[in-house]
Amino acid sequence: MLITGSTSQGKTTSMAAMIDDVNATYKKHIITIEDPIEYVHTNKSGVVRQREVGRDTQSFYTGLRAALRQDPDVIAIGEMRDYETIRIALTAAETGVLVFSTLHVISIDKILERLLSYTPATDEGQLRFLLAESLQGIIHQELLPTVNGERRVACEILVVTGAAKNIIRRKGGYFLRSVIETGKKHGMVTMVESVNTLLEKKIITEGVAKSVLANYE
């Protein structure tokens, strides 16, 4: 399972790009559940079936439950907004389905907190176990204004290593920051590194950089 998180509008585009890459590269059955559908995929190497909440399915939960009966290889969930959707998504990932989804958060270390906020206290242990076993990575991105009036993405990336799994099982999400900071060899990137790279190249202003990095102090 891969989660993308953002405080801006770029996360939908990011997930669409990942789906398009899978669609173009592999012969996979891909089902998306979105609210609304913002990018229409055409079949390439794979087959993509898109479902819109409110038109094709009543909710993310009912759409996900129906999708699992269609033998998908990949499921993309526009957003995880309730415990039942989260639980079924993780169960699907545990069975081998590649699951993409998004959450509105201000940093990666807040994702665990957000997921647990949807979870009954009696089920917190089970959710932590499913996350630790099924989660492959998290990408958090910020879509930042540039000096020339365009937009550029700054991102932090967590690859779920053994150390990350232990934190997910037992600790608060804040400790994931140390995993990202020491995980460069695994392909991890901190938001501080990403923002400072844009600043050093004079793509963004110092004021924009400070406003983003205030969440990482």
Side-chain angles (χ1 to χ4, degrees):
M1 182 178 194
L2 178 68
I3 296 175
T4 65
S6 179
T7 57
S8 54
Q9 297 176 346
K11 70 185 177 65
T12 301
T13 304
S14 176
M15 191 165 74
M18 289 187 285
I19 294 167
D20 185 64
D21 185 68
V22 174
N23 181 29
T25 309
Y26 304 100
K27 294 180 179 180
K28 299 295 183 181
H29 180 201
I30 305 163
I31 297 177
T32 75
I33 307 163
E34 304 168 73
D35 181 21
I37 293 174
E38 296 183 7
Y39 182 91
V40 177
H41 294 272
T42 57
N43 295 338
K44 297 180 180 177
S45 292
V47 175
V48 184
R49 304 180 190 280
Q50 294 179 263
R51 305 286 183 264
E52 185 170 316
V53 173
R55 186 183 69 180
D56 305 309
T57 184
Q58 184 177 358
S59 65
F60 284 110
Y61 166 62
T62 56
L64 178 57
R65 189 171 57 181
L68 290 175
R69 294 195 291 266
Q70 298 173 31
D71 193 27
D73 300 299
V74 180
I75 296 176
I77 308 165
E79 189 174 352
M80 293 189 290
R81 298 176 179 172
D82 59 78
Y83 175 61
E84 286 304 316
T85 299
I86 294 166
R87 183 179 61 80
I88 294 179
L90 288 169
T91 301
E94 193 178 29
T95 65
V97 177
L98 176 59
V99 179
F100 295 109
S101 193
T102 66
L103 284 170
H104 287 284
V105 290
I106 61 171
S107 61
I108 279 181
D109 56 288
K110 298 296 183 183
I111 283 182
L112 184 57
E113 180 181 313
R114 176 60 59 85
L115 290 172
L116 291 175
S117 73
Y118 292 124
T119 307
T122 54
D123 293 339
E124 179 177 320
Q126 181 186 23
L127 180 72
R128 285 180 176 272
F129 174 80
L130 288 173
L131 272 173
E133 293 303 309
S134 302
L135 190 61
Q136 298 297 307
I138 303 172
I139 302 170
H140 172 73
Q141 63 182 31
E142 299 274 356
L143 195 59
L144 307 182
T146 65
V147 294
N148 61 3
E150 297 179 349
R151 296 274 178 169
R152 284 290 293 273
V153 169
C155 67
E156 61 179 348
I157 300 171
L158 169 70
V159 177
V160 181
T161 59
K165 289 178 183 290
N166 288 333
I167 289 170
I168 291 168
R169 288 191 190 101
R170 301 182 178 90
K171 299 181 180 181
Y174 180 81
F175 293 95
L176 292 174
R177 287 195 181 186
S178 62
V179 174
I180 300 171
E181 289 168 357
T182 59
K184 192 170 185 178
K185 66 181 180 181
H186 297 290
M188 301 192 216
V189 178
T190 69
M191 184 61 76
V192 173
E193 291 170 339
S194 185
V195 170
N196 282 339
T197 296
L198 295 176
L199 182 60
E200 288 166 6
K201 293 180 178 179
K202 302 186 185 304
I203 295 172
I204 61 174
T205 65
E206 187 173 344
V208 169
K210 285 182 177 180
S211 68
V212 175
L213 297 181
N215 294 321
Y216 296 82
E217 296 175 348

